[in-house]
Amino acid sequence: RVTMALTYTAIATVTVGSGGAADIEFTSIPATYTDLKLVYSVRNSNSNSNEGVYISFNGSTSNFTGRYLDGTGTVARSGSIARYVGVEVANDDTASTFANNEIYIPNYAGSNNKSFSADSVTETNATQAFATLIAGLWSNTAAITSIKLTLTSTINFAQYSTATLYGIKNTV
């Protein structure tokens, strides 16, 4: 009997410094893993603005499609939205709270279109919390060599927002 195990290797971590950052980016991603997992905890630098986190691969914002399902505890919604990968916490929400998110990208270096899934939650100790599941597709056959996370508009990621990119290998 052969036993397979997944090994996770941290490729890089980004922590946003004082003054915030317009994006969180990972470049020069090696093609030596089978899958990628991006884990991030974020807050934005703007008040009254929970706008969402968006992804781009290899500098491209084109050819993305996606479906989401989210709930607030009292309301459930679903729909289509391109590049959307999760939620973030607004600067005027409860202090020191951050949204927590994971993105899984299987076969990122293969020659097929790239699928991804995301799981996102935010809780601000207020009256509303979000839980979101996302399925997405980047219709491009290029290997993913860079990943960038951005917020909408001109909003920045707040200080202490953190993201870690993991490479995953199947090992025997």
Side-chain angles (χ1 to χ4, degrees):
R1 181 177 129 161
V2 176
T3 303
M4 298 288 287
L6 295 177
T7 59
Y8 287 62
T9 302
I11 296 172
T13 297
V14 174
T15 300
V16 175
S18 64
D23 58 59
I24 294 174
E25 186 169 17
F26 298 92
T27 60
S28 303
I29 299 170
T32 55
Y33 302 98
T34 54
D35 306 330
L36 296 174
K37 184 173 187 175
L38 179 55
V39 178
Y40 60 102
S41 179
V42 293
R43 182 178 180 91
N44 78 41
S45 62
N46 197 18
S47 297
N48 292 323
S49 179
N50 296 95
E51 297 191 22
V53 180
Y54 294 83
I55 199 165
S56 61
F57 296 135
N58 300 351
S60 173
T61 58
S62 301
N63 301 316
F64 282 86
T65 55
R67 299 283 301 166
Y68 71 91
L69 172 64
D70 73 13
T72 65
T74 58
V75 176
R77 304 176 298 191
S78 65
S80 299
I81 191 164
R83 299 181 43 236
Y84 177 66
V85 290
V87 295
E88 94 295 339
V89 174
N91 193 42
D92 59 349
D93 286 332
T94 304
S96 301
T97 60
F98 288 75
N100 294 295
N101 306 269
E102 292 185 0
I103 304 168
Y104 191 81
I105 308 165
N107 197 24
Y108 74 101
S111 59
N112 294 321
N113 290 337
K114 307 303 182 275
S115 65
F116 58 92
S117 61
D119 184 358
S120 179
V121 295
T122 183
E123 201 284 312
T124 62
N125 295 325
T127 58
Q128 193 169 40
F130 285 93
T132 306
L133 298 173
I134 301 150
L137 179 69
W138 182 44
S139 295
N140 193 306
T141 58
I144 296 173
T145 58
S146 69
I147 298 172
K148 183 187 288 188
L149 299 176
T150 57
L151 301 171
T152 56
S153 309
T154 57
I155 298 171
N156 286 338
F157 289 104
Q159 182 178 15
Y160 306 119
S161 293
T162 303
T164 300
L165 180 65
Y166 294 92
I168 301 172
K169 284 186 181 180
N170 289 322
T171 58
V172 178

